[in-house]
Amino acid sequence: MDYLGDDWDLDRFLEENQENQRQRLETELERIQDQLDRRDEINEEVLDELGSKLDWYLERLEDEYRTHGSSNVEELKSEIKRFYSLIRDEKQQHWNDKQRLERERRELLRELNELEGFDFQDLF
């Protein structure tokens, strides 16, 4: 039995395995960064849309006070409160999503650091 050849094959196998794991971790890190970027884009779009609708209701409320007194004021105030709540909920969801993705990223970076710091020669 050729031990030297077997050791070389094992070393090559372990190095290839380590490289495959490293590539998988880096791919996952890229995926997480893409998700973070996309979540930021979606958050900005949603907040812009909600802010625009909120502004419209605020303008309607001002017009209502100026022109009609208080006929639709309560309804408008209710809608304004609803949009403030939607904005608050969106910001909270965005923060929660980012925290979850950041935790995943930290775990992957930890695994990558452990993998890169591991020397298979220490096994023998």
Side-chain angles (χ1 to χ4, degrees), residues 4 14 68 83 90-91 94 101 104 107 112 119 124:
L4 187 58
L14 293 173
H68 300 99
F83 276 100
E90 173 58 27
K91 287 180 178 181
H94 180 250
L101 290 167
E104 284 183 47
E107 180 60 33
L112 189 58
D119 186 2
F124 304 106

Side-chain angles (χ1 to χ4, degrees), residues 45-98:
E45 291 170 8
V46 169
L47 289 178
D48 285 348
E49 183 178 329
L50 290 172
S52 177
K53 290 178 181 179
L54 176 61
D55 289 344
W56 185 82
Y57 277 104
L58 288 169
E59 289 173 13
R60 292 265 326 266
L61 180 62
E62 287 177 18
D63 288 346
E64 192 67 28
Y65 272 125
R66 276 194 308 259
T67 58
H68 300 99
S70 63
S71 60
N72 292 326
V73 168
E74 290 309 313
E75 180 182 329
L76 291 169
K77 283 182 178 180
S78 176
E79 284 299 304
I80 289 168
K81 285 179 185 177
R82 186 173 73 86
F83 276 100
Y84 275 124
S85 177
L86 289 171
I87 289 170
R88 202 171 28 257
D89 291 346
E90 173 58 27
K91 287 180 178 181
Q92 182 66 46
Q93 181 180 352
H94 180 250
W95 187 85
N96 290 340
D97 288 347
K98 286 190 81 158

Side-chain angles (χ1 to χ4, degrees), residues 12-43:
R12 188 176 69 207
F13 170 76
L14 293 173
E15 287 172 6
E16 287 174 2
N17 187 43
Q18 184 179 21
E19 179 61 24
N20 288 339
Q21 287 178 336
R22 186 188 62 72
Q23 287 177 354
R24 180 188 60 80
L25 292 171
E26 288 179 355
T27 299
E28 282 298 302
L29 285 169
E30 289 174 13
R31 179 190 61 80
I32 288 173
Q33 186 58 52
D34 290 345
Q35 286 182 347
L36 282 166
D37 293 343
R38 183 62 185 133
R39 185 61 183 105
D40 286 341
E41 291 172 12
I42 290 170
N43 175 254

